[in-house]
């Protein structure tokens, strides 16, 4: 059986096809301003028997393709449990949201928390900060990792943090140290959410931000917990959706 | 059959403004009330209409923010905005406003509101220790009585208060009967319907009309429930909403819950089941009022054991599958209390719990939808 999952997020769309529960193909595109159109493009020519949608654009997809939907919370939990069976805590930092899920021994979500409204401490936040400091998002983590010390950043609101960073740059501070401070701030925020929802045990870290190796390092240092990251962590939601499509 | 009742509700709502005008033309008064802690019996005892005031809509907030801080509770901003813009007919009808000290934001806002209309502020104790605070609270009620007497020119006798207690007990009894119809599984009413009925009947000037209508709706709904007629199934998730008050206009969480396939069967808040009490008709009436009103379990009380007791009773009686705890932005007492409520719901009942902090605006609707759907997926 071929089951597909499509995760229509705020920044990117991921699609995964599983053949009898094994990953056969993954695809990715930017969401842009036309999520429905982009999603349609992405699944063009794709073979599958069932498909299930998750992410912000799930309802658009549901209407156009008559597909069932689930929330990204359930999708990420299912994906993380697939890659790391028995895991009880999942942290997902995506484009616009960060969330923590606590799972039962059978992988069911029993508690979760999600940031509200703004993109504080998410992928979008890091993107904007990288740009402000003149780094690409791909080398932002490495630049931060190369700094010897943190420059403390107090603000997590994207707009306020941008002003704070601009003032530090104007004072002639080292941009790598500022970058490191920003990474630390993001991780501290994630750890406090993590500890509130599920205070102990190893963590599966998913979402696009989990591609940043320095964030992973900081996360394990600051949380003092074991961190597992799946291959292509941004695919986790789509894989979870594909699994749920099969199990439905 | 339910449709006819909603038509009737609308007719009485339309007639209501005329009823208040008539009442006022005949030389009587109207008194506006903001909070459940204010004993409306004292208004009724002076032949004045106790009117709840508007404060559950987003539109007057813009006006309010010209005066009040932006990061304040939407309920306070909405209430003030209605008053400042003159768009709440019930505020306009009121000869005076009875206010309260249930939170710092409200209490300071009332200082500004008193430039618009006479405002009497009840100084509410913040602990339900009767030995320490019942006397001072009883004093507050006596003071309010004098203020109302002076304003209306009518003597409020103990007999008059007792009569008002009997009338408002009947109203609360009818309200409880109505709220209890959703105990049926599946429930004959949607949460939005129940909320609309409670909200609209709350504004009725003619208490008897409201009592009769609520009893009639309860009869019809109970008959529907007996026949198993319902917009839901027996496996529809049954949700209890706790936390801050909700009304028409501040109902987005109820709407999203029901759009996502749940039924909000119980409202444990001061626009809902916190009103399901009876004042003792056998005691000295002022003392009975003081005791019963002080016992209301608002999060301003510290500690607030009453809310846990009420939740326990309601979770069992309404056989709920999950609890949603709603906090309006900047309502610190409910926001902080959420921590203990979550533990209580998770540990004692092993039920899913969701805490939501939001305001009246639509800006976070889609984020809320994700969380609410994920919460329902847990059930």
């Amino acid at each position: 059986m071929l089951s597909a999952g499509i995760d229509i997020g705020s920044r990117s769309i991921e699609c995964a096809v599983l053949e009898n529960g094994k990953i056969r193909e993954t695809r990715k595109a930017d969401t842009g301003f036309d999520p429905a159109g982009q999603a349609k493009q992405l699944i063009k020519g794709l073979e599958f028997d069932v498909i299930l949608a998750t992410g912000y654009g799930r309802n658009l997809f549901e209407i156009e393709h008559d597909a069932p939907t689930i929330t990204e919370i359930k999708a990420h939990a299912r994906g993380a449990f697939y890659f790391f069976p028995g895991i009880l805590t999942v942290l997902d930092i995506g484009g616009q949201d960060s969330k923590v899920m606590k799972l039962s021994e059978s992988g069911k979500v029993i508690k979760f928390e999600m940031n509200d409204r703004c993109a504080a401490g998410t992928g979008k936040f890091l993107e904007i900060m990288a740009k402000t400091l003149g780094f690409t998002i791909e080398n932002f983590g490495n630049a931060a990792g190369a700094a010897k010390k943190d420059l403390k950043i107090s603000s997590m609101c994207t707009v306020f943090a941008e002003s704070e960073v601009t003032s530090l740059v104007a004072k002639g501070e080292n941009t790598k140290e500022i970058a490191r401070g920003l990474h630390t701030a993001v991780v501290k925020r994630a750890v406090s959410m993590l500890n509130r929802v599920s205070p102990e045990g190893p963590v599966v870290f998913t979402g696009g931000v989990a591609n940043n190796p320095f964030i992973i390092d900081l996360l394990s240092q600051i949380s003092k917990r074991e961190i597992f990251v799946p291959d292509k962590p941004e695919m986790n939601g789509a894989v979870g959706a594909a699994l749920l499509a099969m199990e439905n | 059959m339910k449709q006819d009742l909603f038509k009737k509700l609308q007719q009485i709502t339309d007639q209501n403004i005329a009823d208040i005008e008539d009442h006022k033309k005949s030389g009587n008064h109207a008194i506006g009330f903001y909070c459940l802690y204010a004993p409306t019996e004292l208004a009724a005892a002076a032949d004045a209409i106790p009117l709840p005031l508007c404060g559950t809509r987003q539109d007057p907030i813009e006006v309010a923010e010209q005066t009040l801080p932006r990061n304040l509770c939407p309920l306070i901003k909405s209430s003030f905005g209605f008053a400042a813009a003159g768009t709440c007919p019930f505020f306009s009808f009121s000869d005076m406003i009875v206010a309260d000290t249930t939170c710092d934001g409200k209490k300071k806002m009332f200082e500004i509101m008193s430039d618009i209309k006479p405002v009497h502020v009840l100084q509410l104790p913040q602990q339900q220790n009767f030995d320490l605070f019942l006397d001072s609270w009883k004093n507050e009620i006596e003071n309010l009585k004098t203020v109302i007497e002076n304003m209306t020119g009518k003597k409020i006798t103990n007999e008059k208060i007792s009569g008002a207690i009997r009338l408002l007990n009947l109203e609360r009894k009818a309200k409880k009967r109505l709220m209890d119809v959703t105990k049926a599984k599946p429930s004959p009413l949607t949460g939005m319907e129940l909320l609309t009925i409670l909200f609209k009947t709350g504004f009725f000037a003619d208490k008897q009309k409201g009592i009769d209508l609520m009893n009639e709706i309860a009869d019809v709904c109970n008959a529907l429930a007996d026949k198993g007629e319902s917009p839901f199934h027996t496996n529809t998730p049954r949700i209890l909403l706790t936390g801050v008050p909700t009304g028409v206009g501040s109902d987005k969480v109820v709407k999203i819950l029901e759009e996502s396939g749940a039924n909000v069967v119980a409202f444990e808040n001061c626009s809902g089941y916190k009103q399901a009490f009876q004042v003792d008709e056998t005691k000295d009436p002022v003392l009975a009022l003081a005791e019963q009103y002080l016992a209301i379990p608002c999060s301003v009380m510290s500690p607030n054991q009453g809310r846990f007791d009420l939740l326990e009773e309601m979770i069992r009686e309404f056989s709920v599958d999950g609890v949603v705890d709603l906090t309006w932005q900047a309502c610190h007492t409910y926001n902080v209390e959420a921590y203990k409520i979550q533990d209580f719901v998770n540990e004692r009942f092993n039920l899913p719990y969701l805490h939501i902090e939001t305001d009246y605006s639509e800006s976070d609707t889609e984020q809320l939808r994700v969380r609410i759907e994920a919460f329902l997926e847990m059930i």
Side-chain angles (χ1 to χ4, degrees):
Chain A
M1 183 195 197
L2 293 176
S3 64
I6 185 162
D7 180 1
I8 307 171
S10 63
R11 305 289 296 153
S12 60
I13 305 176
E14 288 88 14
C15 184
V17 180
L18 272 59
E19 185 167 5
N20 299 321
K22 285 221 154 57
I23 298 173
R24 171 171 143 150
E25 188 180 351
T26 59
R27 291 182 179 183
K28 190 179 167 176
D30 283 341
T31 307
F33 48 82
D34 176 21
Q38 288 289 87
K40 208 170 175 177
Q41 277 297 320
L42 192 66
I43 60 165
K44 220 176 209 167
L46 204 64
E47 268 181 77
F48 54 81
D49 303 313
V50 282
I51 189 163
L52 187 147
T54 186
Y56 270 118
R58 67 190 180 286
N59 295 322
L60 282 172
F61 194 85
E62 178 185 21
I63 296 161
E64 205 155 315
H65 303 266
D66 195 26
T69 61
I70 45 142
T71 64
E72 44 269 44
I73 297 193
K74 190 171 178 181
H76 278 285
R78 186 65 192 91
F81 209 72
Y82 167 81
F83 290 115
F84 302 97
I87 196 74
L88 300 179
T89 310
V90 183
L91 164 69
D92 170 73
I93 307 185
Q96 187 173 272
D97 293 315
S98 46
K99 38 199 166 288
V100 174
M101 288 80 85
K102 184 179 175 184
L103 311 188
S104 70
E105 279 166 16
S106 59
K108 201 173 174 270
V109 179
I110 48 177
K111 204 169 173 184
F112 70 89
E113 221 174 90
M114 186 174 145
N115 66 323
D116 29 42
R117 281 177 202 235
C118 74
T122 66
K124 179 83 186 162
F125 174 85
L126 287 167
E127 259 178 57
I128 290 174
M129 295 308 137
K131 206 169 172 190
T132 309
L133 288 168
F135 297 108
T136 64
I137 189 68
E138 288 77 20
N139 69 14
F140 195 34
N142 290 330
K148 293 276 178 296
K149 62 173 173 87
D150 274 357
L151 265 178
K152 198 171 163 47
I153 306 288
S154 328
S155 190
M156 264 287 100
C157 165
T158 309
V159 179
F160 292 159
E162 206 175 358
S163 320
E164 197 174 342
V165 166
T166 309
S167 326
L168 291 170
V169 170
K171 268 173 41 190
E173 298 288 1
N174 180 303
T175 52
K176 286 181 182 166
E177 290 175 2
I178 302 174
R180 191 181 163 122
L182 285 163
H183 279 70
T184 304
V186 167
V187 171
K188 280 190 173 160
R189 188 184 161 98
V191 169
S192 100
M193 196 194 268
L194 200 55
N195 290 345
R196 222 172 22 240
V197 178
S198 182
E200 51 191 20
V203 177
V204 171
F205 179 26
T206 68
V209 174
N211 280 314
N212 180 326
F214 187 55
I215 294 262
I216 302 171
D217 281 355
L218 281 178
L219 190 62
S220 79
Q221 274 173 42
I222 294 175
S223 70
K224 300 187 182 70
R225 295 163 74 157
E226 208 177 343
I227 309 296
F228 296 111
V229 180
D231 260 358
K232 297 189 189 167
E234 72 280 10
M235 281 294 159
N236 183 60
V239 171
L243 287 162
L244 290 160
M246 184 177 75
E247 290 156 6
N248 252 351
Chain B
M1 208 157 45
K2 220 159 74 177
Q3 249 53 47
D4 294 342
L5 288 174
F6 275 94
K7 213 177 274 171
K8 197 163 174 185
L9 175 66
Q10 192 51 48
Q11 280 163 4
I12 304 183
T13 304
D14 294 341
Q15 174 64 36
N16 189 36
I17 298 285
D19 286 351
I20 303 174
E21 275 170 348
D22 287 349
H23 176 88
K24 288 207 70 175
K25 264 187 214 140
S26 58
N28 289 312
H29 293 79
I31 300 176
F33 288 84
Y34 272 113
C35 181
L36 192 51
Y37 279 109
T40 45
E41 278 86 351
L42 294 182
D47 302 321
I49 310 172
L51 287 172
L53 299 169
C54 315
T56 58
R57 292 174 59 99
Q58 170 72 20
D59 30 311
I61 286 183
E62 206 180 318
V63 175
E65 285 178 352
Q66 292 170 19
T67 308
L68 298 174
R70 221 163 51 81
N71 60 347
L72 189 65
C73 151
L75 193 147
I76 304 177
K77 286 191 289 186
S78 179
S79 306
F80 181 79
F82 268 120
T87 46
C88 173
F90 306 105
F91 187 89
S92 306
F93 283 129
S94 298
D95 298 288
M96 67 175 280
I97 305 298
V98 179
D100 56 89
T101 56
T102 37
C103 85
D104 292 346
K106 271 165 115 183
K107 132 181 137 184
K108 299 310 283 185
M109 178 275 277
F110 288 132
E111 291 176 21
I112 307 177
M113 185 183 268
S114 64
D115 292 340
I116 307 173
K117 189 155 281 199
V119 176
H120 178 82
V121 180
L122 292 164
Q123 301 293 329
L124 180 72
Q126 315 223 323
Q127 199 181 57
Q128 287 153 325
N129 182 329
F130 280 16
D131 290 341
L132 286 175
F133 297 111
L134 187 62
D135 281 349
S136 68
W137 177 235
K138 190 165 165 259
N139 240 344
E140 280 298 298
I141 292 179
E142 302 269 12
N143 284 344
L144 176 63
K145 190 179 98 172
T146 311
V147 169
I148 292 177
E149 280 177 335
N150 291 341
M151 196 264 300
T152 57
K154 292 198 174 149
K155 180 93 188 121
I156 300 178
T157 61
N158 273 358
E159 261 182 326
K160 285 276 220 175
I161 303 176
S162 293
I165 290 175
R166 279 194 295 276
L167 176 68
L168 293 178
N169 270 348
L170 281 177
E171 188 190 34
R172 285 183 289 254
K173 200 178 251 169
K175 203 170 269 184
K176 181 171 187 301
R177 256 197 89 206
L178 174 68
M179 291 188 281
D180 282 345
V181 305
T182 51
K183 283 182 181 173
K185 201 174 174 177
S187 131
L189 276 182
T190 69
M192 277 306 294
E193 287 172 335
L194 179 58
L195 184 133
T196 308
I197 299 164
L198 288 172
F199 184 75
K200 290 197 167 178
T201 50
F203 287 102
F204 287 171
D206 186 334
K207 290 287 170 199
Q208 199 54 50
K209 271 187 194 169
I211 293 168
D212 292 344
L213 185 62
M214 283 190 280
N215 278 322
E216 198 181 337
I217 298 175
D219 288 341
V220 169
C221 288
N222 285 331
L224 288 175
D226 286 344
K227 285 188 282 179
E229 280 184 41
S230 164
F232 305 103
H233 305 287
T234 42
N235 57 358
T236 299
R238 297 165 62 83
I239 305 304
L240 180 145
L241 185 74
T242 179
V244 294
T246 48
V248 171
S250 62
D251 47 23
K252 68 178 174 186
V253 169
V254 181
K255 269 194 191 134
I256 300 172
L257 272 161
E258 296 203 320
E259 281 165 9
S260 306
N263 177 201
V264 181
V265 290
F267 294 86
E268 187 282 320
N269 54 29
C270 54
S271 47
Y273 224 68
K274 279 196 176 117
Q275 296 187 36
F277 60 81
Q278 292 282 298
V279 175
D280 194 332
E281 294 178 13
T282 63
K283 279 187 179 167
D284 165 69
V286 175
L287 178 68
L289 285 178
E291 284 180 354
Q292 194 52 55
Y293 277 88
L294 188 57
I296 292 167
C298 172
S299 62
V300 73
M301 292 298 169
S302 179
N304 188 24
Q305 184 54 40
R307 184 170 174 213
F308 294 84
D309 297 342
L310 185 58
L311 273 173
E312 170 137 28
E313 176 194 327
M314 291 180 75
I315 287 171
R316 292 188 201 286
E317 290 194 359
F318 286 84
S319 24
V320 308
D321 301 306
V323 173
V324 174
D325 189 357
L326 178 63
T327 300
W328 297 133
Q329 173 205 319
C331 180
H332 303 318
T333 54
Y334 273 109
N335 211 1
V336 177
E337 200 165 274
Y339 179 82
K340 286 197 161 202
I341 299 288
Q342 162 146 15
D343 261 6
F344 182 69
V345 172
N346 286 160
E347 305 301 322
R348 174 78 66 99
F349 301 97
N350 197 23
L351 285 177
Y353 167 93
L354 178 69
H355 179 227
I356 290 173
E357 187 191 2
T358 186
D359 60 11
Y360 295 175
S361 78
E362 298 291 328
S363 66
D364 60 348
T365 304
E366 292 311 309
Q367 280 102 324
L368 287 182
R369 203 182 296 282
V370 173
R371 283 203 258 173
I372 287 169
E373 285 181 14
F375 163 71
L376 294 175
E377 284 169 353
M378 284 160 61
I379 292 172

